[in-house]
Amino acid sequence: MHQTPMSKCSFIRWGASITLCKNNSMQTATVVAVYGTLTDLLSVATNKLGIKACNLYNGKGGLIDDIALIRDDDVLYVSEGDPFFDPQNDVRARDDRPGTHTDWLTLNIGGRLFTTTRSTLVSKEPESMLAHMFREKAVWGNKQDECGAYLIDRSPEYFEPILNYLRHGQLIINEGINLLGVLEEARFFGIAQLAEQLEVAIKVKNSSYIFQMIYYISTQHIDPCPMSPHAFLQNNQTPEDHSPISRKEFVRFLLATPTKSELRCQGLNFSGADLSRLDLRYINFKMANLSRCNLTHANLCSSNLERADLSGANLDGANLQGVKMLCSNAEGASLKGCNFEDPSGLKANLEGANLKGVDMEGSQMTGINLRVATLKNAKLKNCNLRGATLAGTDLENCDLSGCDLQEANLRGSNVKGAIFEEMLTALHMSQSVR
């Protein structure tokens, strides 16, 4: 190959250090100081590299014909008269050899270099995009930078935990890394199992974050309206994530919460959760979804269940002293043997509640407020309703047999088809039923 000598310039510093490499081999290299003439340098190269040095080339294949052309810290290639051989071509040639699927390779992800093996990218998730890219790289025509690193235009911050997962199969993410970003990259590269793990991790993190904010609001006594837990739930859960909070998640938070703090759980989804026998005093469940929940023997003293969905829930034996259940929906719920009676005089308020078909047999409800509530087809057998407010209440087909309705206010209530057998005290005309 014909080489054109380079023009002369004064780049050399006397005594400068350069690296001499054997042409055709990056494995043989030595660092030397530059003194004297080009002939002197070729003599040094002969001694150091063990070859008969005839020519010097720079990294681009330019022939060095004067020592003044050499720059400080240059990497020069020494030949025995053979033409210049580009070391990058050597790297690519070795990469193309059969049986090199486990060779080390470098990825350039968004400008950051990652060194790994081909088997790491291929073995763990064989159907992923990365596996297809590097199993038979010619299929994808992977682009490489000037150093031979494979170019992939993605976020290096989010790619690092993905590469670690492919190495050892564990999801490990450093603090400060956005899980949603890693999830998006996992989906992009088609790493299905990792994407599933990330979705679970995001759900757990969101639940924990919501509980922390609820606790902060509760302890700081600040107005929950601008940043309610319901808002936190909407802003921090992925759009498709509407799954209910589990007992384990809720109990973990309860253990770190002061007993008498009004814990705000407005609008949260507890549907079907097992919250039985838990101390839930003073908690604000306003507009929460508690449908089909197991709340048997739970302590809901002074809790706020206003407009909450309790349909189909089981509250048998629950302590409901001073509870607020205004306009709540408890249709078809079971409240057998519940205690609504507060010795301190605080009355339970169920005004306007939907209690169709509920079973409240044997419950203590002295002084309870059931004004304009709907108790159609409900079972209130043997209940203590002394001094209860039932004005305007729909008691159609309600079983009130064995109840104590002394001093109860039944003005304007609908008692069509109601059963009043074996009552402990007779109804007085002043109670004005219709």
Side-chain angles (χ1 to χ4, degrees):
M1 181 175 72
H2 176 69
Q3 301 290 341
T4 303
M6 297 179 63
S7 59
K8 299 181 181 180
C9 300
S10 298
F11 292 122
I12 194 63
R13 173 177 58 83
W14 202 253
S17 62
I18 62 171
T19 301
L20 296 177
C21 300
K22 185 178 178 181
N23 194 31
N24 291 327
S25 176
M26 286 290 292
Q27 306 301 318
T28 307
T30 184
V31 178
V32 300
V34 179
Y35 293 101
T37 65
L38 183 60
T39 302
D40 295 328
L41 183 56
L42 289 171
S43 178
V44 171
T46 297
N47 294 330
K48 293 288 186 179
L49 300 177
I51 62 174
K52 185 179 179 180
C54 296
N55 297 318
L56 290 176
Y57 298 99
N58 65 11
K60 295 183 178 180
L63 179 64
I64 305 296
D65 66 351
D66 193 292
I67 198 166
L69 298 175
I70 300 174
R71 302 168 185 253
D72 197 2
D73 293 324
D74 260 353
V75 177
L76 303 179
Y77 299 88
V78 184
S79 82
E80 296 180 284
D82 50 310
F84 173 74
F85 183 82
D86 187 351
Q88 291 300 324
N89 289 335
D90 183 48
V91 171
R92 296 186 184 100
R94 283 186 285 110
D95 237 11
D96 290 336
R97 289 202 306 266
T100 59
H101 282 12
T102 58
D103 287 347
W104 287 92
L105 52 83
T106 300
L107 307 178
N108 185 335
I109 310 292
R112 183 174 164 189
L113 300 180
F114 294 87
T115 300
T116 185
T117 63
R118 196 181 302 274
S119 62
T120 295
L121 302 176
V122 171
S123 302
K124 178 66 178 176
E125 294 270 356
E127 298 304 317
S128 70
M129 180 188 294
L130 285 171
H132 286 292
M133 287 175 69
F134 293 99
R135 182 182 297 114
E136 297 293 342
K137 65 184 180 65
V139 174
W140 285 76
N142 301 326
K143 302 297 184 182
Q144 293 174 271
D145 63 15
E146 63 277 4
C147 297
Y150 294 97
L151 291 163
I152 301 178
D153 186 20
R154 303 300 293 182
S155 168
E157 181 181 31
Y158 300 142
F159 180 78
E160 184 174 7
I162 290 177
L163 181 57
N164 286 332
Y165 169 80
L166 294 175
R167 286 168 171 159
H168 47 60
Q170 299 297 318
L171 175 57
I172 300 174
I173 299 180
N174 295 333
E175 186 176 355
I177 302 297
N178 192 325
L179 291 176
L180 287 173
V182 182
L183 174 59
E184 186 61 30
E185 295 301 295
R187 288 171 174 169
F188 174 81
F189 288 114
I191 306 176
Q193 293 183 17
L194 177 59
E196 291 176 4
Q197 291 187 38
L198 284 162
E199 288 168 358
V200 172
I202 288 170
K203 176 186 172 184
V204 172
K205 183 178 180 181
N206 284 340
S207 298
S208 176
Y209 176 69
I210 292 165
F211 288 149
Q212 289 172 14
M213 296 308 300
I214 295 170
Y215 177 64
Y216 175 76
I217 293 171
S218 301
T219 55
Q220 299 298 316
H221 305 291
I222 62 178
D223 182 6
C225 295
M227 297 180 69
S228 69
H230 184 56
F232 286 124
L233 182 67
Q234 290 179 326
N235 292 337
N236 290 280
Q237 280 190 312
T238 53
E240 67 274 12
D241 186 6
H242 300 291
S243 53
I245 296 168
S246 68
R247 178 186 179 95
K248 182 178 180 180
E249 292 168 342
F250 196 52
V251 167
R252 183 174 57 189
F253 182 64
L254 285 176
L255 293 174
T257 307
T259 305
K260 290 191 176 182
S261 64
E262 187 182 330
L263 187 60
R264 291 171 172 85
C265 294
Q266 296 101 310
L268 297 187
N269 184 4
F270 296 89
S271 178
D274 180 7
L275 304 179
S276 60
R277 301 183 183 276
L278 293 180
D279 186 354
L280 306 175
R281 288 176 290 171
Y282 307 103
I283 295 180
N284 188 344
F285 287 110
K286 186 176 181 179
M287 295 183 291
N289 183 358
L290 294 157
S291 60
R292 304 185 310 281
C293 269
N294 181 3
L295 289 159
T296 55
H297 301 285
N299 187 354
L300 288 157
C301 175
S302 298
S303 62
N304 186 352
L305 291 162
E306 183 178 345
R307 301 183 185 277
D309 184 359
L310 289 156
S311 56
N314 188 347
L315 290 89
D316 291 351
N319 186 0
L320 296 165
Q321 295 176 359
V323 71
K324 297 176 183 178
M325 292 178 61
L326 287 82
C327 301
S328 61
N329 176 23
E331 185 171 351
S334 180
L335 291 91
K336 291 185 290 187
C338 290
N339 182 24
F340 292 87
E341 185 177 352
D342 189 348
S344 66
L346 185 62
K347 297 180 179 180
N349 190 349
L350 281 74
E351 183 173 338
N354 177 12
L355 301 168
K356 287 182 181 178
V358 298
D359 188 349
M360 303 177 79
E361 183 176 348
S363 292
Q364 295 296 318
M365 295 188 284
T366 301
I368 192 171
N369 180 7
L370 288 165
R371 183 177 176 273
V372 298
T374 301
L375 284 155
K376 188 175 182 178
N377 298 316
K379 297 178 182 178
L380 275 72
K381 191 174 181 180
N382 300 321
C383 286
N384 184 355
L385 287 162
R386 283 196 172 208
T389 300
L390 295 160
T393 302
D394 185 358
L395 296 167
E396 185 176 347
N397 298 324
C398 183
D399 186 356
L400 292 159
S401 57
C403 283
D404 186 351
L405 286 165
Q406 186 175 352
E407 298 181 359
N409 181 0
L410 291 159
R411 290 185 180 89
S413 61
N414 176 17
V415 293
K416 181 181 178 181
I419 301 173
F420 291 97
E421 297 177 358
E422 301 177 0
M423 294 183 62
L424 298 182
T425 56
L427 290 176
H428 194 272
M429 288 297 294
S430 64
Q431 294 176 275
S432 301
V433 299
R434 64 184 172 105

